[in-house]
């Protein structure tokens, strides 16, 4: 609507008030309305749509401002530079809306980021671009000369495609002396012209008349159309048939069956005889569509349906009927039947879905617009009123944006891992009786987002690898599963780097990034590293990536790759695979006299470190060899009393062998010199001194060396004190170690002692007449893997010789080291010593080895 001031200054306030009133009305209507004349040229200004919608010009392009019209026609377009709506292509109102009184183009304006939908209605105003048209250039009429004055002859009116004032017609008849023109109004059908006889005709004077009928529309400028009326004056019948009513109004339902009776005409003729007999027929003015849809019985005047009648095609018909008598010449009467077609609910709704945001991300916020839906129904009234619903129950809902326009929006959260897509069915139902249905479906795919981290089946795996493995061998495969899809589910693996014993973890193992296969880069050594803690990280390829970790506890299983180490006598340090020692034994020594003890350790574990001793070579004399070695103790003692026949110098070779497969050995050579009693210390003194020295070395600060002149009772006392002191120190050491283990935590990766010297530390050897026991601190070094303190193995054996006469010391239980392969990580000790003068009892001491 455009207003231009007309008048003086006093009209400006009125104009401003009208503009404000129009703006308020437009804002309250809920949509923008513009008006443009039809046939406007390309580029014709329609309105400042961006400004009216409250949008900034700078945000039109970034927010993907676009205009869509129903049907896909691009009649109107928006200039994104200035936000002006202009005419893009020719608009013919008659082509768009026919003869409808109102004609509008509905636009949907879409703006994204965030998505907004606006509805704009552009009225297409009619202009006078169509002239009135008659169905033929000439109309032939007949009239008898005997017809009385005032006789009315209906004429076919003109048709104008325009509406309103542009389609309102006026008729003008060329001036003549016989006829005048009258216009008859039809109910809701406009007007049609009628000729009225103004002067009696005389065929002999005027057998034929030619009159020009002109139709003029009400447009500016005016358009006209004309038809030539050829009127033939007949001489015959005086009375024409007459219908009961000149105009009939009839209503009928659409889709009536063929041969359904519409009505029966009733006409009369004042004449008699043959001039009274009548014939009914369609007038020449009847349109071809009427002849196609209806039949008339020329004798009875019955009008019946002849074809399918659809309200959506034609809502009314105008039937002109001629009633002609059989006189000579015949006379014709005229009547008109106005048929109004009543609508039935015979058209189903139509549903149109325009997809916008498919697929939809599973993390899309509630209210996200998925699609635009429009519905229509060709019926009218309640039969054309449509409501929409969704089937089945889906996480979406319909939001009405305008009449018969809806938005499909997200109503609840999505999870692609649960449901990857939805078949959304939109059902439309009209208000007819019975109602009619229609449906349309759209597949809404759910797009994946990276919301699931890779997951391992277990948080920790235990892996066993034999030491001395080949470099690059495969030791384990980790696998993580990601519930996402495509790139978000593509998992890569990597090693979580850390320091192990001063070295990088990546120098020990590596992880293949795609397969998750874990490889050992170098041979592993059980003596250096018993447990290797490897942490593997799994990351997906999403943005941002998600990940999780898994821990591999790699236990390095021991192999028999270390031969026994013999301990040097006196120093307690390692002496190598072979040692030689000299011992003095008095010839007065009896059976069971302890000559010396061969001490050895093995860096392996379990049975691989369980040693036994045997004589490999004996001195001459064969079965008369007076010496033997303890199978598990390594003590060399006499088997019988020495005599003068025994050689004064004897060479004993002791073979030390472990229990591995294959077994590894070491040899010790002991040179025994037999001397008289006054030249050597008693064997029990030597044994006591050895036991005292060994106990002192193991306890790090114990009692001093015992004198060689002590009595046998004193030896038992010192032996009991030493054993109890060592046992108490062991228990105290275990308690301190446990407290330090739990308090230090990760700090246990600190300083470590390595090297063969620390691995083969001094061993405590306690010997007596009834046997000996050995507490071997087999490994002193700490494995720098952060897995805990070093492992200590205690090996104790019962004597292999018959007990000495010393009855005040009893060994109740036999000590044995638990097999590492049987129960890794636990050692159980039971000490039961019952000397005559002391009681030492330690039972069920549990040591956890990490």
């Amino acid at each position: 609507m455009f207003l231009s001031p007309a008048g003086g200054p006093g009209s400006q306030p009125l104009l401003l008030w009208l503009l404000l009133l129009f703006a308020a009305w437009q804002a309250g209507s809920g949509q923008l309305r513009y008006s443009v004349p039809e046939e406007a040229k390309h580029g014709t200004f329609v309105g400042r749509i961006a400004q009216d919608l409250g949008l900034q010009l700078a945000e039109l392009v970034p927010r993907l401002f676009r205009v869509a019209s129903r049907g896909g026609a691009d009649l109107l377009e928006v200039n994104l530079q200035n936000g002006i709506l202009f005419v893009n292509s020719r608009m013919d109102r008659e082509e768009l809306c026919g003869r409808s009184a109102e004609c509008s183009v509905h636009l949907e304006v879409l703006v994204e980021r965030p998505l907004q939908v606006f509805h704009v209605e552009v009225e297409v105003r009619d202009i006078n671009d169509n002239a009135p048209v008659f169905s033929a250039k000439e109309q032939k009429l007949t009239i008898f000369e005997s017809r009385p004055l005032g006789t009315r002859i209906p004429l076919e009116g003109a048709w104008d495609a325009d509406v309103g004032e542009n389609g309102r017609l006026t008729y003008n008849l060329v001036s003549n002396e016989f006829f005048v023109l009258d216009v008859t109004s039809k109910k809701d059908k406009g007007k049609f012209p009628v000729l009225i006889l103004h002067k009696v005709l005389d065929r002999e004077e005027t057998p034929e008349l030619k009159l020009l009928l002109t139709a003029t529309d009400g447009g500016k400028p005016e358009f006209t159309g004309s038809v030539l009326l050829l009127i033939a004056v007949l001489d015959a019948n005086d009375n024409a048939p007459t219908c009961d009513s000149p105009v009939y109004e009839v209503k009928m339902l659409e889709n009536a069956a063929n041969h359904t009776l519409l009505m029966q005409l009733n006409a009369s003729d004042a004449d008699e005889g043959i001039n009274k007999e009548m014939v009914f027929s369609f007038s020449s003015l009847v349109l071809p569509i009427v002849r196609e849809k209806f039949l008339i019985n020329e004798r009875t005047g019955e009008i019946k349906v002849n074809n399918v009648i659809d309200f959506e095609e034609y809502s009314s018909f105008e039937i002109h009927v001629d009633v002609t008598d059989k006189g000579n010449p015949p006379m014709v009467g005229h009547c008109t039947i106005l048929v109004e077609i009543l609508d039935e609910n015979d058209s189903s709704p139509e549903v149109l879905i325009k997809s916008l945001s498919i697929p939809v991300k599973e993390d899309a916020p509630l209210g996200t617009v998925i699609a635009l839906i429009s519905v229509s129904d060709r019926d009218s009234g309640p039969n054309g009123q449509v409501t929409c619903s969704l089937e089945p129950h889906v996480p979406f809902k319909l939001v009405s944006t305008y009449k018969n326009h809806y938005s499909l929006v997200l109503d609840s959260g999505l999870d692609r891992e649960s449901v990857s897509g939805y078949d959304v069915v939109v059902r439309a139902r009209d208000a007819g009786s019975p109602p009619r249905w229609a449906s349309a479906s759209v597949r809404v795919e759910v797009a994946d987002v990276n919301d699931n981290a890779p997951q391992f089946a277990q948080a920790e795996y235990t892996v066993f690898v034999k030491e001395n493995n080949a470099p690059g061998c495969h030791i384990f495969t980790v696998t993580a599963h990601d519930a996402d899809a495509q790139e978000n589910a593509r998992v890569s693996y990597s090693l979580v780097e850390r320091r192990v014993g001063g070295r990088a973890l990546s120098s020990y193992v590596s992880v293949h990034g795609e397969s998750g296969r874990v490889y050992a880069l170098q041979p592993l050594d059980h003596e250096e590293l018993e447990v290797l803690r490897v942490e593997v990280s799994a990351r997906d390829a999403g943005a941002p990536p998600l990940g999780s970790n898994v821990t591999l506890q790699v236990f390095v299983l021991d192999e028999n790759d270390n031969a026994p180490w013999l301990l040097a006598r006196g120093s307690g340090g390692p002496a190598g695979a072979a040692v030689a020692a000299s011992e003095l034994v008095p010839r007065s020594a009896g059976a069971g006299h302890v000559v010396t003890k061969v001490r050895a350790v093995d860096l392996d574990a379990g049975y691989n470190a369980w040693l036994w001793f045997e004589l490999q070579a004996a001195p001459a004399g064969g079965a008369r060899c007076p010496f033997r070695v303890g199978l598990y103790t390594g003590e060399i003692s006499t088997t019988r009393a020495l005599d003068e026949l025994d050689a004064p110098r004897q060479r004993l070779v002791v073979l030390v062998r472990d229990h591995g497969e294959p077994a590894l050995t070491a040899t010790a050579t002991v040179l025994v010199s037999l001397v008289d009693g006054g030249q050597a210390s008693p064997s029990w003194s030597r044994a006591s001194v050895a036991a005292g020295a060994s106990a002192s070395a193991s306890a790090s600060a114990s009692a001093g060396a015992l004198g060689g002149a002590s009595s046998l009772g004193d030896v038992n006392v010192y032996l009991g004190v030493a054993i109890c002191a060592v046992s108490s120190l062991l228990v105290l050491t275990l308690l301190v170690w446990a407290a330090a283990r739990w308090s230090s935590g990760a700090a246990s990766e600190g300083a470590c002692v390595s090297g063969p010297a620390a691995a083969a530390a001094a061993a405590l050897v306690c010997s007596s007449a009834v046997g000996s026991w050995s507490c071997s601190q087999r490994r002193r070094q700490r494995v720098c893997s952060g897995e805990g303190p070093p492992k200590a193995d205690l090996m104790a054996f019962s004597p292999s010789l018959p007990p000495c006469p010393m009855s005040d010391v009893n060994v109740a239980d036999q000590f044995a080291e638990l097999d590492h392969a049987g129960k890794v990580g636990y050692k159980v000790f039971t000490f039961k010593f019952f000397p005559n003068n002391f009681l030492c009892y330690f039972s069920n001491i549990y040591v956890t080895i990490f």
Side-chain angles (χ1 to χ4, degrees), residues 574 603 753-762 777-782:
L603 297 181
V753 180
S754 62
Q777 193 69 17
R778 186 177 54 83
R779 292 183 57 211
R780 294 278 182 169
Q781 75 273 26
R782 174 173 297 177

Side-chain angles (χ1 to χ4, degrees), residues 472-524:
C473 73
H474 170 244
I475 61 175
F476 196 71
T477 299
V478 293
T479 303
H481 174 71
D482 197 310
D484 294 320
Q486 297 178 353
E487 288 298 313
N488 295 332
R490 186 164 58 87
V491 180
S492 60
Y493 304 90
S494 63
L495 189 67
V496 179
E497 188 63 273
R498 66 186 186 90
R499 306 294 293 179
V500 177
R503 297 174 55 183
L505 179 62
S506 57
S507 65
Y508 289 96
V509 295
S510 68
V511 179
H512 190 271
E514 295 182 0
S515 65
R517 293 170 65 90
V518 182
Y519 298 92
L521 299 180
Q522 64 181 15
L524 300 177

Side-chain angles (χ1 to χ4, degrees), residues 141-408:
L141 305 173
T142 59
I143 186 170
F144 289 96
E145 61 178 352
S146 58
R147 296 301 297 271
L149 296 178
T151 298
R152 300 173 66 86
I153 303 176
L155 303 176
E156 178 188 9
W159 179 80
D160 196 325
D162 296 321
V163 296
E165 288 295 328
N166 297 329
R168 186 166 306 185
L169 304 179
T170 59
Y171 296 91
N172 183 36
L173 184 65
V174 66
S175 178
N176 67 92
E177 60 179 330
F178 295 102
F179 293 95
V180 295
L181 186 63
D182 189 17
V183 178
T184 301
S185 297
K186 298 177 288 185
K187 183 178 180 181
D188 298 329
K189 301 299 179 182
K191 300 179 179 180
F192 62 92
V194 178
L195 289 179
I196 300 177
L197 186 60
H198 182 64
K199 180 181 178 180
V200 177
L201 296 172
D202 185 358
R203 182 180 176 279
E204 287 71 26
E205 290 182 3
T206 311
E208 186 180 46
L209 291 174
K210 293 184 179 180
L211 304 177
L212 184 63
L213 178 64
T214 302
T216 305
D217 61 24
K220 302 273 183 200
E222 298 177 346
F223 286 92
T224 61
S226 59
V227 61
L228 181 62
L229 303 178
L230 299 178
I231 303 176
V233 181
L234 303 178
D235 184 25
N237 209 358
D238 294 332
N239 296 290
T242 304
C243 295
D244 292 345
S245 174
V247 178
Y248 296 92
E249 295 183 1
V250 180
K251 296 181 179 181
M252 67 168 293
L253 293 172
E254 65 173 332
N255 302 318
N258 283 349
H259 305 293
T260 298
L261 179 64
L262 176 64
M263 68 170 301
Q264 182 174 359
L265 295 175
N266 187 22
S268 60
D269 195 316
D271 296 326
E272 292 184 355
I274 195 170
N275 292 331
K276 192 175 183 179
E277 295 180 8
M278 295 172 290
V279 176
F280 298 89
S281 63
F282 289 131
S283 171
S284 59
L285 305 179
V286 171
L287 298 175
I289 188 63
V290 175
R291 297 180 184 273
E292 179 184 343
K293 299 294 183 180
F294 299 97
L295 289 176
I296 187 169
N297 189 316
E298 62 179 15
R299 184 177 62 83
T300 62
E302 291 181 346
I303 299 177
K304 296 182 178 181
V305 176
N306 185 45
N307 206 335
V308 177
I309 297 177
D310 188 0
F311 172 83
E312 285 70 42
E313 293 181 0
Y314 299 97
S315 60
S316 63
F317 294 95
E318 186 176 321
I319 305 176
H320 297 284
V321 178
D322 291 341
V323 185
T324 306
D325 60 23
K326 295 182 178 181
N328 188 18
M331 297 189 70
V332 180
H334 306 277
C335 64
T336 302
I337 300 98
L338 302 178
V339 182
E340 180 181 358
I341 306 301
L342 302 180
D343 181 47
E344 283 189 335
N345 192 24
D346 60 341
S347 296
S348 298
E350 297 179 357
V351 183
L352 178 63
I353 299 179
K354 298 179 181 178
S355 175
L356 290 179
S357 302
I358 297 177
V360 183
K361 288 188 175 182
E362 59 179 324
D363 62 348
L366 301 184
T368 299
V369 178
I370 310 301
L372 299 178
I373 301 171
S374 60
V375 296
S376 61
D377 196 313
R378 297 178 60 194
D379 295 321
S380 62
N383 297 331
Q385 296 177 1
V386 182
T387 56
C388 288
S389 61
L390 291 180
E391 292 184 2
H393 297 293
V394 292
F396 308 101
K397 67 178 179 179
L398 291 175
V399 176
S400 178
T401 58
Y402 188 58
K403 55 183 179 181
N404 292 339
H405 290 79
Y406 300 87
S407 293
L408 180 66

Side-chain angles (χ1 to χ4, degrees), residues 524-577:
L524 300 177
D525 187 2
H526 174 81
E527 288 70 39
E528 177 188 351
L529 190 66
E530 293 184 13
V531 180
L532 180 61
R533 183 174 178 270
V534 178
E535 190 170 0
V536 178
S537 174
R539 293 289 183 272
D540 58 30
L546 300 177
S548 61
N549 295 350
V550 68
T551 300
L552 303 182
Q553 294 286 358
V554 181
F555 287 87
V556 182
L557 301 180
D558 182 60
E559 288 189 338
N560 193 27
D561 57 346
N562 290 280
W565 280 75
L566 296 170
L567 301 181
R569 183 178 176 184
S571 64

Side-chain angles (χ1 to χ4, degrees), residues 782-794:
R782 174 173 297 177
V783 179
C784 298
S785 62
E787 309 303 328
K791 182 181 69 174
D793 294 333
L794 175 65

